[in-house]
């Protein structure tokens, strides 16, 4: 992602950002023990993952600490804008400057999501260690 941004491959950066967001959301859902989708993981849309994330955050105080409503809103908003950008790009309504700004915005969201995901995973591990009886 960093290399794509530095090389000014903004469209590629947007695709990478989307893939990273999907991956992180899936990881968080799995870490929470909430992966209940019956279909192949590659067919679970990001919108379904976001619904599951909101449920987890609503029910899990530890998740609430790391995944704020603001962050989830940023992800959803960016995802919606991404779809518009991709469609507008195909009919040449998007400028390089627009795409750069959007890619940089996505990069910031990815950094926040990665950080929250890593912190949440560590907190879950600590919580599980406390709750596991020692032999």
């Amino acid at each position: 992602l960093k290399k794509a941004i530095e090389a000014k491959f903004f469209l590629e950066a947007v695709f990478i950002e989307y893939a990273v967001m999907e991956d992180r959301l899936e990881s968080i859902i799995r870490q929470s023990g909430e992966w209940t989708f019956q279909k192949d993981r590659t067919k679970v849309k990001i919108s379904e993952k976001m619904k599951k994330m909101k449920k987890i955050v609503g029910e899990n105080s530890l998740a609430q600490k790391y995944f704020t409503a603001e962050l989830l809103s940023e992800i959803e908003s960016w995802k919606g804008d991404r779809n518009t950008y991709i469609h507008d790009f195909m009919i040449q309504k998007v400028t390089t400057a627009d795409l750069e700004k959007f890619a940089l915005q996505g990069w910031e969201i990815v950094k926040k999501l990665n950080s929250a995901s890593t912190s949440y995973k560590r907190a879950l591990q600590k919580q599980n260690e406390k709750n596991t009886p020692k032999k």
Side-chain angles (χ1 to χ4, degrees):
L1 176 56
K2 183 179 179 182
K3 288 179 181 180
I5 297 278
E6 288 172 351
K8 300 193 182 301
F9 295 153
F10 302 119
L11 184 60
E12 289 83 351
V14 168
F15 282 104
I16 294 166
E17 290 160 354
Y18 188 85
V20 170
M21 286 180 202
E22 273 204 301
D23 180 72
R24 292 297 84 218
L25 291 171
E26 181 176 326
S27 176
I28 295 158
I29 295 166
R30 286 186 186 279
Q31 288 289 327
S32 298
E34 295 289 330
W35 190 263
T36 57
F37 298 108
Q38 299 301 314
K39 53 189 161 184
D40 176 9
R41 65 175 284 277
T42 61
K43 295 182 179 167
V44 179
K45 297 178 180 180
I46 195 169
S47 58
E48 295 173 79
K49 292 174 185 176
M50 285 300 299
K51 284 180 190 174
K52 183 66 80 170
M53 275 298 299
K54 287 180 180 179
K55 180 181 182 288
I56 291 168
V57 170
E59 297 173 354
N60 181 325
S61 61
L62 190 59
Q64 289 170 5
K65 180 177 177 180
Y66 298 101
F67 306 104
T68 64
E70 179 185 343
L71 176 57
L72 296 179
S73 178
E74 283 182 65
I75 294 167
E76 275 193 321
S77 178
W78 187 89
K79 178 193 78 75
D81 291 345
R82 174 208 171 261
N83 294 341
T84 301
Y85 270 96
I86 297 307
H87 293 290
D88 286 352
F89 184 78
M90 298 308 290
I91 55 175
Q92 300 178 354
K93 286 187 176 179
V94 178
T95 66
T96 301
D98 292 336
L99 202 52
E100 178 180 12
K101 181 179 176 184
F102 187 65
L104 292 174
Q105 178 188 18
W107 193 16
E108 289 304 313
I109 295 169
V110 164
K111 287 191 269 187
K112 288 179 195 176
L113 183 58
N114 278 339
S115 176
S117 177
T118 300
S119 297
Y120 178 64
K121 182 178 177 181
R122 284 186 190 135
L124 276 177
Q125 287 172 339
K126 284 181 184 179
Q127 185 180 59
N128 289 338
E129 287 170 7
K130 285 181 184 177
N131 294 335
T132 303
K134 296 187 181 196
K135 295 179 182 181

